[in-house]
Amino acid sequence: MQALDQFEEDDAGTVFRDVITLALCGFVAVVILLLPHIRPEAKQADTAGVAAPGNVMVEARWPDELDADVDLWVEAPGDVPVGYSNKSGVIFNLLRDDLGRNADPTKLNYEASYSRGIPPGEYAVNLHLYRNKATVFPVPVTVVVSAKRPDGDNARQLLATTVQLDREGQELTVFRFKLTESGDLVGDSVHSLYKPLRSGRKS
């Protein structure tokens, strides 16, 4: 009788160990199967071959320490002027209206417009000193115009200059220039004239 009881106890222990082992194996299998889905490996971005957004890029940059609201205005051939009160046209889009320190989590003073396509003809780039809370004059603004050929080449700089804005409300034309369909600058087409592009008022 005692031998029979000992046999029954060993059998129960074996079954218990088998069930625990199977449960552990099942848990490990589930974890292995779910691991790639819980944290997929990050794909490394290859920035060397990344093309610049847009075909014509116009960028304006002024000193970060100045609490000044400088507005970039651009106009493509046959399109409307694009700036703070009209952030998009058929060709250009204003990336962001930088208000200086107002509603800006960074100290970066920067505005940029990008075009979709390169219609041939005359382009205009204006700056408007809307507000200067820093009351420091003049406000130096660097403007860079770059273009990327439609075939997907990297952007190349076409024009660059630094202008001085001397008073609030001042608007000046930084560049007037012509581009070909391939994004080449037409020789002797670069001019700097005063012609307001902006329309509307800031609130």
Side-chain angles (χ1 to χ4, degrees), residues 105-120:
T106 70
K107 294 182 179 179
L108 184 68
N109 286 332
Y110 176 84
E111 284 195 9
S113 283
Y114 297 93
S115 79
R116 182 180 296 269
I118 310 175

Side-chain angles (χ1 to χ4, degrees), residues 19-87:
V19 169
I20 293 296
T21 304
L22 287 174
L24 181 61
C25 289
F27 177 75
V28 170
V30 169
V31 169
I32 290 173
L33 291 173
L34 289 179
L35 199 55
H37 301 289
I38 294 172
R39 181 164 180 173
E41 292 183 16
K43 294 180 180 177
Q44 296 294 327
D46 181 15
T47 56
V50 173
N55 293 100
V56 179
M57 284 92 26
V58 184
E59 303 164 279
R61 185 95 161 84
W62 60 100
D64 296 334
E65 64 273 9
L66 293 183
D67 187 6
D69 181 356
V70 177
D71 292 318
L72 174 67
W73 283 88
V74 295
E75 185 176 19
D79 200 6
V80 297
V82 171
Y84 70 82
S85 61
N86 182 38
K87 292 183 174 62

Side-chain angles (χ1 to χ4, degrees), residues 121-123 175-179 185-192:
E122 187 176 59
Y123 291 74
F175 295 120
R176 277 191 176 276
F177 58 94
K178 291 182 180 179
L179 293 179
L185 192 62
V186 175
D188 299 326
S189 70
V190 181
H191 302 285
S192 185

Side-chain angles (χ1 to χ4, degrees), residues 49 81 88 114 168 202:
S88 65
Y114 297 93
E168 280 190 1
K202 274 195 180 175

